[in-house]
Amino acid sequence: MGDQSEQKDEELASLIQSGRTEFFSILMGRYETKILRYASKFLYNPEDAKDAVQDIFTKAYMNIKSFDVRRKFSPWLYRLAHNELINLLDRRRIRTFVPLPDLDIFLPNFTRNNVAEHIDRQEYQKIIDACLDKLELKYKEPVILFYLEELSYKEISQVMQIPVSTVGIRINRAKKLMKTIFDKQGYNHGK
Amino acid sequence: MENNNQQNPITQKVAQEIEKGKVKMKPRSYFIFRGILLSAGSVVVLLFIVYLVSFIIFSLRTSGLIFLPGGFSSIGILFGALPWLLIGLAAFLVVILEAFAERFEFIHQRPLVYSLFVIIAVVLIGGFLIGNTPLHNLLLYSEQEGHLPFLGPLYHSFDSQNVHNGIVTQIAANGFTIQTPDTQVFNVILTSPTQKDDIGVGDTIIIVGPVNGNNIRADEIKKVEEDHDLFLSHRHPDGRMQPENDGNEHEIK
């Protein structure tokens, strides 16, 4: 088992699919901290977050054969986590679920949001910690996935099942909202 | 299973559950079957919407509404006589189909308006094409012969209650007599003498108004262009008309 740590997630997933289930704990071990951090942004009680992650990993094992090994593993796992957490919030009525699509997924966005993708990630990571909880879930989640989990716009689009352009719109809006909140709280964000 | 994750208690817990056999991997066939079911379901819903739209077009043509001349009064007649229930059902199914379609990555990665536009275009074009084939004509004929158990009620009740059409067979002082495409004869009672000014025997007309026995009170009358074959929808593909009525003509009272 000497080379397992160097094997790609997708290679491990392929081995698990072929029956080498012993590799599952290695694969999940790589994501436990990340998924726990992601879940903690939805569920404020640490025990609830741990229970949710256990459910997410259990579902990941059950559904691993639905993963296409030619694609990246992390968006697939985050998608599973997204579904599980949203269902959990709905069950607890923490999220007021309105099954109507938001207007920003309807229309194409012609602005080039990706320009800002790698420019101010670090700066926003500081702001995020101070303001994240004050954002609506639809803005909060892409911000977490982009700035904290470091997923690309396309991967976030796969996780949240929304158009890539909408990811950009939501992140831009979230940034503006966070700056306003940040300024109101009296911080200086260095701009 | 390896227990090399001392720092990962959740992973260990899940690994133990897997080892004990409490958690099982779903087979690949399960996901393939689910994918097929979703695709097949989407196709069935799409075909049903196309069918509904084609039926709406057929019913508009059969009632003559589609041939109404322009003008505000025609718009009013058309608006009041449209099969809103069927239109609402088709719109609802389009939303359901869009929800199905959003499960496919190549669709949800693009703005919703694109997929919605494609679905609506496919449904309208498909509906228009099928609406112009003899399909509904054959189904209507089957319904009238009692051979259409499931879709029968749809064909039995699609006529707009207050919209009628037919050919003028006789002119009288207070109205005229028409023969409908299914060979029924009605007396049209005018509400204003000017309503029959440009109407003569042999004209195809659309009348809006309530029916009382064999009389129709004509709240609105519109003459249909001669080149529109209003009777086409009621004609069997072999050229015969629909089943005959009792054949009695009725005097205008």
Side-chain angles (χ1 to χ4, degrees):
Chain A
M1 299 274 178
D3 292 325
Q4 295 144 7
S5 59
E6 288 171 18
Q7 276 186 305
K8 284 182 182 174
D9 295 345
E10 296 74 25
E11 289 168 347
L12 288 177
S14 176
L15 288 167
I16 298 161
Q17 285 177 345
S18 63
R20 305 284 301 274
T21 55
E22 66 271 23
F23 291 111
F24 186 73
S25 57
I26 299 168
L27 188 55
M28 291 303 109
R30 289 179 185 176
Y31 283 94
E32 186 169 320
T33 311
K34 289 178 180 178
I35 299 291
L36 190 58
R37 181 176 57 202
Y38 178 58
S40 305
K41 301 292 179 190
F42 289 81
L43 308 163
Y44 300 108
N45 183 335
E47 287 309 309
D48 287 348
K50 282 179 189 169
D51 288 346
V53 174
Q54 191 176 332
D55 288 344
I56 291 162
F57 284 1
T58 304
K59 287 205 170 145
Y61 180 77
M62 289 166 73
N63 294 291
I64 192 84
K65 286 195 173 172
S66 72
F67 171 63
D68 180 354
V69 292
R70 292 166 300 182
R71 310 184 70 173
K72 238 181 132 185
F73 181 76
S74 59
W76 180 82
L77 186 63
Y78 277 105
R79 172 74 198 153
L80 212 74
H82 165 90
N83 283 345
E84 187 64 22
L85 292 167
I86 293 294
N87 287 341
L88 206 62
L89 294 184
D90 285 341
R91 278 203 297 273
R92 294 178 182 190
R93 297 183 181 181
I94 294 171
R95 186 175 80 127
T96 45
F97 182 69
V98 182
L100 292 172
D102 288 306
L103 193 64
D104 56 11
I105 67 165
F106 267 99
L107 300 169
N109 171 40
F110 298 108
T111 56
R112 296 190 62 195
N113 297 297
N114 287 342
V115 174
E117 197 166 323
H118 299 291
I119 298 173
D120 44 12
R121 203 188 277 256
Q122 282 185 334
E123 184 202 343
Y124 275 102
Q125 278 179 348
K126 283 185 271 171
I127 301 174
I128 287 163
D129 288 333
C131 314
L132 197 62
D133 293 340
K134 295 182 176 67
L135 290 179
E136 269 181 73
L137 188 60
K138 69 173 182 174
Y139 296 124
K140 182 174 161 180
E141 192 177 6
V143 167
I144 294 166
L145 291 169
F146 183 67
Y147 289 107
L148 302 182
E149 305 308 327
E150 304 197 334
L151 266 62
S152 69
Y153 279 19
K154 196 175 177 196
E155 288 167 346
I156 298 170
S157 144
Q158 288 166 7
V159 172
M160 296 181 69
Q161 293 205 338
I162 56 174
V164 180
S165 57
T166 304
V167 175
I169 294 172
R170 289 191 184 176
I171 288 176
N172 277 346
R173 281 188 198 153
K175 278 155 72 175
K176 282 178 190 161
L177 286 168
M178 284 193 298
K179 274 185 175 172
T180 311
I181 296 164
F182 203 63
D183 288 340
K184 275 185 188 168
Q185 288 178 344
Y187 297 107
N188 180 2
H189 51 80
K191 285 230 163 180
Chain B
M1 188 162 297
E2 284 192 16
N3 288 330
N4 60 347
N5 294 291
Q6 296 303 319
Q7 274 81 46
N8 303 124
I10 302 171
T11 301
Q12 272 188 313
K13 226 183 221 178
V14 176
Q16 281 164 8
E17 299 273 292
I18 294 167
E19 267 182 17
K20 286 177 191 166
K22 287 183 182 173
V23 181
K24 292 209 187 309
M25 218 184 274
K26 286 177 188 164
R28 197 180 292 274
S29 56
Y30 169 85
F31 299 103
I32 293 170
F33 180 70
R34 209 172 59 168
I36 291 170
L37 211 62
L38 180 67
S39 306
S42 303
V43 170
V44 167
V45 173
L46 176 69
L47 290 176
F48 187 64
I49 304 170
V50 169
Y51 168 80
L52 271 184
V53 171
S54 68
F55 179 79
I56 290 167
I57 291 167
F58 168 78
S59 67
L60 289 179
R61 206 181 54 231
T62 304
S63 65
L65 284 167
I66 214 165
F67 304 124
L68 275 177
F72 284 115
S73 62
S74 295
I75 292 170
I77 294 168
L78 186 65
F79 192 81
L82 281 173
W84 288 110
L85 191 67
L86 293 180
I87 292 170
L89 178 63
F92 173 73
L93 289 173
V94 165
V95 174
I96 298 286
L97 183 61
E98 178 63 37
F100 278 176
E102 284 296 321
R103 298 181 73 95
F104 296 99
E105 194 184 311
F106 69 96
I107 290 176
H108 74 238
Q109 283 197 346
R110 288 169 180 80
L112 203 139
V113 72
Y114 292 165
S115 48
L116 209 55
F117 177 78
V118 170
I119 289 173
I120 291 170
V122 167
V123 158
L124 288 180
I125 293 168
F128 183 78
L129 292 175
I130 293 175
N132 281 297
T133 65
L135 174 76
H136 293 292
N137 189 16
L138 280 168
L139 291 174
L140 176 67
Y141 194 77
S142 299
E143 188 274 324
Q144 288 177 336
E145 291 191 333
H147 301 319
L148 199 66
F150 296 113
L151 291 170
L154 189 67
Y155 287 86
H156 188 68
S157 60
F158 78 88
D159 279 331
S160 305
Q161 291 286 308
N162 285 329
V163 182
H164 323 274
N165 59 68
I167 291 176
V168 177
T169 54
Q170 188 187 343
I171 303 278
N174 64 337
F176 41 80
T177 306
I178 61 160
Q179 187 180 36
T180 63
D182 53 359
T183 70
Q184 289 189 74
V185 175
F186 285 99
N187 305 314
V188 179
I189 313 295
L190 302 179
T191 51
S192 156
T194 56
Q195 284 180 311
K196 65 169 184 176
D197 278 357
D198 59 342
I199 292 169
V201 173
D203 284 343
T204 304
I205 57 165
I206 295 168
I207 309 130
V208 181
V211 180
N212 183 12
N214 291 305
N215 296 329
I216 301 170
R217 194 188 75 208
D219 294 335
E220 290 267 1
I221 296 177
K222 292 276 175 191
K223 195 172 158 183
V224 176
E225 296 291 325
E226 283 176 14
D227 55 346
H228 294 312
D229 189 354
L230 199 62
F231 291 71
L232 184 69
S233 309
H234 282 275
R235 194 171 291 141
H236 190 265
D238 67 5
R240 280 181 288 143
M241 290 298 288
Q242 299 292 317
E244 296 287 325
N245 70 340
D246 62 3
N248 295 331
E249 294 206 0
H250 303 272
E251 296 283 325
I252 299 176
K253 290 171 186 168

